Every structure is written in C-alpha cells, then in structure tokens.
Amino acid sequence: MKPTVGIIGAGLGGLSAAIYLANAGFNVKIFEKNDKFGGKLSYIHQDGYYFDIGPTLLTMPFVVEHLFETVGEKFNEYLDIIKIEPACRNFFSDGTYLDTSSDLSIMKSELNKIYPSAATDYENFLHYSKKLYDNTADIFLFEPFQEIRYLLKKRSIPIQRVFHLDAFRTINETNRSFFQDDRLVQLFNRFATYNGSSPYLAPATLNVIPYVEYGLGAYYIKGGMYKLVEALQNLAMKLGVEINLNCEIKEILIEKKVAKGISYSGKKEYFDYIICNSDVVQTFNSLINGFEKEKEKLNKLEPSLSGMLFLWGVKGKTDLLKHHNVFFSDDYFKEFKQIFDEQKAPDDPTIYISISSKSNPEHSPSNSENWYVLLNMPYLNPSQNWDFEVKKMRLTILNKLKKFGLDIENKIEFERVLAPKEFYDLYRSNKGSIYGISSNSRMTAFKRPANRNRSIKNLYFATGSAHPGGGIPLAILSGKHCSDLIQFYSK
Ligand SMILES: Cc1cc2nc3c(=O)[nH]c(=O)nc-3n(C[C@H](O)[C@H](O)[C@H](O)COP(=O)(O)OP(=O)(O)OC[C@H]3O[C@@H](n4cnc5c(N)ncnc54)[C@H](O)[C@@H]3O)c2cc1C
C-alpha cells in the first residue's frame, strides 16, 4: 500500500510538497481552511479590477521550473513569465527618482546620473552579491542544511563556503561601504524587506537578494501572479492529490511523540506523515497539545514584518508611474526603529505601488489602473489600533503622492484594505507576519525551524516560516525539502 501524507494548508509549500510526494508514489491529501488554493499568493477580482493581494514579483523561476520538470511537465506550457522594464521606479524624499533594471548597461547609465563612479560601485556590489549567493545558496537554500545525516549520504556539504557570509556586518553597514550616496544605500537596504527584516539589524548575508533580483532576474507572471497557483493546482490534481477546501484542521493527533493524524469538523483522519504548510509557531500554539518547551523556544523567534495593503481602482492613467514603484521614506532608520523596536506604524512609511495593469491591461477597466499599495508594518501586538492606523496611513499616502504631483484622492473608485489583522485571519500567519520569521539577527538562519521536526516523529514543515524562509521560491523549496526528507527517512 502507498504511504499516506496529510498536508495542512494549500499554500505554495503545501502544494509543492504534495506534487513532489505524489509524483514519488505517495498518497497525498491536502486540507485547506480557505475556499481557494495558494495561501498568501492570492488575488481578488471585483468591479472589473484584478488585484494580486500577495506577491507581485517572482524571483528564481528555475525553482518552479524544477518542480514542473520533475513531474515531466513543461513550465512554459503553463506559465508565461515576463520581465518588467524598468524593474522599478524609485522615488526619493528629495523629489528625485531612479529607474532600476536587471539589464546591466541600462542600470549603469541610470546610476551614473547619481554620481560619477556609481556604476562602478554597483558593479563591485553586484559581484560581491553574486559571491554571497554562490557561497550560500547550495547549503542555505537548496538543501535542508540542519540534516547532517541526509547531507552526508548525499555527499553535499559545501561547508567550507559558509565562512564567507559577511554575517558580522549589517546590511546597512555593508551597503554604506559600497555606495557614496544615501539614496543608493537606501535603495539596496530595501532588499532586507524581501524577507521581512530590518536592514539595520539583519546580517549582510542577505545582500544575496540584490543578485537574485538583478543578476538572476525578477519576473511578473502574464495574466497575474495567481496563474502560478492555478498551474500548481493543475499539477497536483493530475497527480491524484486529493484536496479539501474550507476545511480547517483543529488538532494534530500525536501519540507517544509520533504524529498520527489530524482532526477537523469532529472527524479524525490518520496518515503515515503529516506536513504542516501552516505557520510553524501558530501550528504549535494552536494545533498541538503539550510540547511546552518547544512552544516557548518558537515563541521567542521574532516574526517578520507585517504589511498594510491598499487596493485602489484608480480612474485615469498615471504616466509618471511604472509597473513597480517605490516612494522611500525620508528617514529609513526611524521607519524600521518604529516598526521593530517601538512596534508601531511608521510616521513616514516607504510606499510600494505595483500597477499590474501597466503590463496586463485586462487587470483594470479601460482608462483606469489597479493600484496595489503596500506599506511595511509591525507584526501584531495588543496595543495597536488598526482601524485608526488604516485611516491615518491612507491620508499619509495620499499626501505624500501629492508632493510628487499625483493627486488621486478623488479618482479612487474601488477600495479594499488588508491590515496585519487580516493577514492573520486569512492565513493564520504568526502575528500577521508575511514572511514567517524575521532575519534580524546573525543567528536567524540557524534558528529557523527545520523542515523535519525533531520532537515529534513524522511531523514536517513545508512553509515560508520554516527553512529556508519566506518568499515564493523558498516556500516551494521547503516543500521539496520535506519530500526529499520523507523519502530519505522512509527507506
Ligand atoms: C502582501 C504580501 C506581499 C508579498 N510579496 C512577495 C513577493 O513579491 N515575492 C515573493 O516571492 N514573496 C512575496 N510574499 C511572500 C510569499 O507570499 C510567501 O512567502 C509565500 O506565499 C508563503 O507560502 P507558504 O508555503 O508559507 O504558505 P502560506 O501562504 O502561508 O499558506 C499557508 C496556508 O495554510 C492554511 N492554513 C493555516 N492554518 C490552517 C489550518 N489549521 N487548517 C487548514 N489550513 C490552514 C492557510 O489558510 C494558508 O492557505 C508576499 C506576501 C505577502 C502577504
């Protein structure tokens, strides 16, 4: 009889684990509390507007490609990925803006407008960023690095490389050593938010991310990011994965420290393996009885940033804006201090605006645009009043845009807002965090929960809150790691 796997959650990690394992001959069932697949990779479609409500950028598409190839399917028959040019229009508080590009010659000529040697500084930075990627990716991303026995068997421990991680400086410290203009430091500091962290706390090891975006390329998916979920859903169903939507798991059944099954709607179901795509901390806090020491340890890990997302259907076209735009705050250090240290919404938030209708006209009615406006926010704590903050932030955004000649207040004909509480309610992410655990300390990579739980046998985690971390490609890799480990330990 085929071994059975029950997966809690149909987010990217859950779908990826399901596809890899079903392809390897396991009998897989997914239980998802929401009425659709994809978890944080989601969308809404209303009044003629399509909005992504999660990721707007796909990096490392080869991770998705690998998934398709493993099951004998062609990635490009399912998905059309497009490069957006410019990659992003970045507005600074002094009123200037800079377009970035993954095309080196375009990027260099843009940077040279900032100061004469900026292009050379950037080339040196990109070279350094690539080196970091080469030194870290194999061990910290593409392998479940906490699994020594598994790695030894695979003879795949490029351990000598982990001594070149730039882990003793912060992102900001390193970026200051490369660039002579505060705007460029701020621009490259922002990559810390790609995994929900502060550039003033996170180790410079995370400077791999600029290479991932500019060296390897960042993409949008033609038709909308949700096409990725639809493609994965198709693969899972083709492979015979059984999917139960609107089905919230209430408990993981554990006997003598072995995960045996799950319970939902008064029913119990038993499996050989349980994989949680649900957030690790939240899973321990709400679905597992006992294991207090593990809970205490997990609850000490700092969650990543949360967000506040305004979805605006805006009448008319704004030529000044591109598909991806960032309006930087005046004082980036203060912004992160307020978010992480003071746990409050920043006075002057950096504003990210994605308008996918610029490259997908069908995403909005004619002569209008779909604005996805995202602010970094602190994860939930009981003292915050989000109704008040949403009103305040709405005004702050509109006033800031006016300073750049963009007066859209009376042009907004559709509006929906997601604050940290909604991110918690929708996805049960720990305290509304959007990337799992923050990387605000040198040791985070080592403290991030492993894909195979050590306290409870046969319990695995395929989620952005476990190794190797948040973001589309990493969540998909977490599913692959679970599949590889289950196959390894079941032999
Ligand atoms: C606003 C926003 C912007 C982002 N931008 C980007 C970006 O541009 N690029 C990028 O790469 N990444 C981005 N991310 C991050 C990326 O979306 C996530 O890292 C990734 O989607 C997480 O996948 P996951 O596998 O952890 O599952 P999740 O998306 O966390 O899904 C977990 C699933 O489990 C379900 N679940 C939880 N508890 C239960 C239960 N008890 N019973 C049943 N089901 C349960 C949830 O409903 C959910 O569907 C963004 C995220 C957000 C929110």
Side-chain angles (χ1 to χ4, degrees):
M1 225 174 63
K2 288 179 176 182
T4 58
V5 184
I7 301 184
I8 306 171
L12 297 176
L15 285 168
S16 153
I19 293 166
Y20 277 114
L21 282 165
N23 188 57
F26 286 71
N27 197 332
V28 184
K29 251 187 183 185
I30 302 184
F31 301 84
E32 165 58 53
K33 81 169 186 59
N34 291 339
D35 61 2
K36 57 177 184 278
F37 300 77
K40 297 184 190 95
L41 203 173
S42 193
Y43 74 100
I44 61 169
H45 200 172
Q46 213 177 315
D47 300 350
Y49 288 97
Y50 165 95
F51 294 97
D52 293 308
I53 61 169
T56 57
L57 208 62
L58 171 69
T59 53
M60 301 166 74
F62 51 87
V63 168
V64 189
E65 217 168 330
H66 178 272
L67 179 66
F68 279 78
E69 274 168 12
T70 304
V71 302
E73 299 277 348
K74 286 204 172 66
F75 171 70
N76 56 13
E77 283 177 5
Y78 285 80
L79 295 167
D80 184 6
I81 60 170
I82 49 175
K83 256 198 179 167
I84 304 293
E85 203 50 59
C88 186
R89 178 158 282 183
N90 301 276
F91 295 84
F92 300 98
S93 62
D94 63 359
T96 58
Y97 71 78
L98 172 81
D99 286 345
T100 48
S101 172
S102 55
D103 179 312
L104 187 60
S105 58
I106 299 178
M107 184 77 159
K108 279 167 70 177
S109 69
E110 273 295 306
L111 287 169
N112 270 340
K113 293 177 194 160
I114 303 267
Y115 63 90
S117 63
T120 313
D121 292 346
Y122 172 67
E123 268 191 296
N124 291 336
F125 179 74
L126 202 59
H127 178 71
Y128 145 86
S129 176
K130 179 180 185 312
K131 238 173 146 183
L132 277 180
Y133 178 85
D134 292 341
N135 285 335
T136 56
D138 284 346
I139 184 82
F140 286 113
L141 302 183
F142 301 128
E143 296 289 2
F145 82 94
Q146 299 97 334
E147 295 284 347
I148 303 297
R149 210 176 113 203
Y150 166 85
L151 294 175
L152 284 172
K153 189 92 180 175
K154 277 189 75 188
R155 295 176 202 286
S156 122
I157 308 189
I159 203 77
Q160 68 286 359
R161 296 194 194 155
V162 304
F163 296 109
H164 304 282
L165 301 181
D166 199 5
F168 292 94
R169 294 187 290 180
T170 64
I171 289 182
N172 176 63
E173 281 162 358
T174 294
N175 291 352
R176 286 218 164 276
S177 76
F178 274 98
F179 298 105
Q180 298 158 36
D181 186 287
D182 286 347
R183 288 169 295 177
L184 294 190
V185 174
Q186 194 172 26
L187 185 112
F188 290 101
N189 276 356
R190 182 173 165 266
F191 284 101
T193 64
Y194 279 36
N195 93 343
S197 308
S198 159
Y200 304 95
L201 300 169
T205 316
L206 290 182
N207 272 331
V208 293
I209 304 172
Y211 173 69
V212 167
E213 173 149 339
Y214 296 128
L216 301 176
Y219 301 84
Y220 189 72
I221 300 173
K222 190 91 190 133
M225 296 299 286
Y226 199 71
K227 295 278 176 207
L228 172 59
V229 174
E230 287 171 351
L232 297 180
Q233 177 182 337
N234 275 342
L235 287 195
M237 286 169 130
K238 263 192 186 176
L239 291 162
V241 173
E242 190 187 313
I243 295 167
N244 302 276
L245 295 175
N246 301 306
C247 183
E248 178 158 3
I249 300 306
K250 298 291 183 195
E251 188 185 344
I252 297 175
L253 306 169
I254 297 164
E255 289 168 24
K256 297 185 180 150
K257 297 191 179 179
V258 182
K260 296 279 187 182
I262 51 179
S263 82
Y264 60 97
S265 317
K267 289 184 230 159
K268 289 181 178 173
E269 244 182 271
Y270 292 88
F271 296 94
D272 297 315
Y273 301 95
I274 305 293
I275 299 180
C276 301
N277 173 228
S278 45
D279 183 285
V280 182
V281 182
Q282 178 68 18
T283 298
F284 264 86
N285 287 344
S286 64
L287 304 185
I288 293 178
N289 286 321
F291 297 90
E292 299 306 329
K293 269 205 174 133
E294 179 120 9
K295 285 179 187 167
E296 202 183 311
K297 210 169 87 190
L298 286 169
N299 283 289
K300 279 188 187 148
L301 296 173
E302 183 181 42
S304 79
L305 291 168
S306 187
M308 188 182 288
L309 179 59
F310 292 85
L311 303 166
W312 286 334
V314 179
K315 282 185 281 180
K317 301 275 183 196
T318 18
D319 291 337
L320 180 64
L321 297 189
K322 300 292 176 188
H323 183 135
H324 299 291
N325 311 272
V326 173
F327 289 82
F328 279 102
S329 59
D330 189 39
D331 185 343
Y332 216 34
F333 178 76
K334 183 175 171 200
E335 181 177 350
F336 284 95
K337 191 168 182 298
Q338 290 187 314
I339 291 176
F340 279 111
D341 295 352
E342 298 167 27
Q343 293 280 303
K344 61 181 210 186
D347 301 332
D348 173 23
T350 292
I351 303 165
Y352 165 66
I353 302 179
S354 169
I355 307 174
S356 67
S357 60
K358 296 268 186 199
S359 40
N360 298 260
E362 74 282 7
H363 282 183
S364 67
S366 59
N367 201 32
S368 53
E369 293 176 337
N370 63 340
W371 287 36
Y372 163 117
V373 183
L374 181 65
L375 313 178
N376 296 324
M377 284 291 139
Y379 50 85
L380 291 169
N381 88 40
S383 66
Q384 295 148 344
N385 176 345
W386 288 107
D387 291 341
F388 170 79
E389 295 299 346
V390 165
K391 285 187 195 120
K392 196 173 116 190
M393 287 298 133
R394 187 181 194 275
L395 245 158
T396 307
I397 299 168
L398 293 172
N399 286 338
K400 185 150 173 173
L401 292 175
K402 273 185 202 149
K403 287 189 191 150
F404 287 87
L406 299 167
D407 188 354
I408 59 154
E409 192 161 7
N410 297 320
K411 296 183 185 165
I412 299 173
E413 60 172 7
F414 174 88
E415 177 169 53
R416 172 119 186 246
V417 188
L418 302 177
K421 177 76 170 65
E422 279 73 39
F423 288 116
Y424 171 78
D425 290 341
L426 278 169
Y427 314 118
R428 295 280 189 276
S429 62
N430 181 29
K431 298 187 176 165
S433 59
I434 61 182
Y435 288 97
I437 311 288
S438 82
S439 289
N440 284 342
S441 92
R442 215 177 289 145
M443 295 309 289
T444 310
F446 300 95
K447 288 185 184 160
R448 184 167 279 125
N451 302 113
R452 180 175 65 94
N453 188 266
R454 302 306 156 84
S455 315
I456 304 168
K457 196 166 176 240
N458 296 344
L459 181 67
Y460 288 77
F461 286 95
T463 144
S465 61
H467 175 71
I472 298 172
L474 305 198
I476 289 178
L477 281 170
S478 74
K480 177 179 181 299
H481 294 339
C482 285
S483 162
D484 289 347
L485 291 170
I486 287 177
Q487 291 177 66
F488 178 75
Y489 284 104
S490 64
K491 276 180 192 144

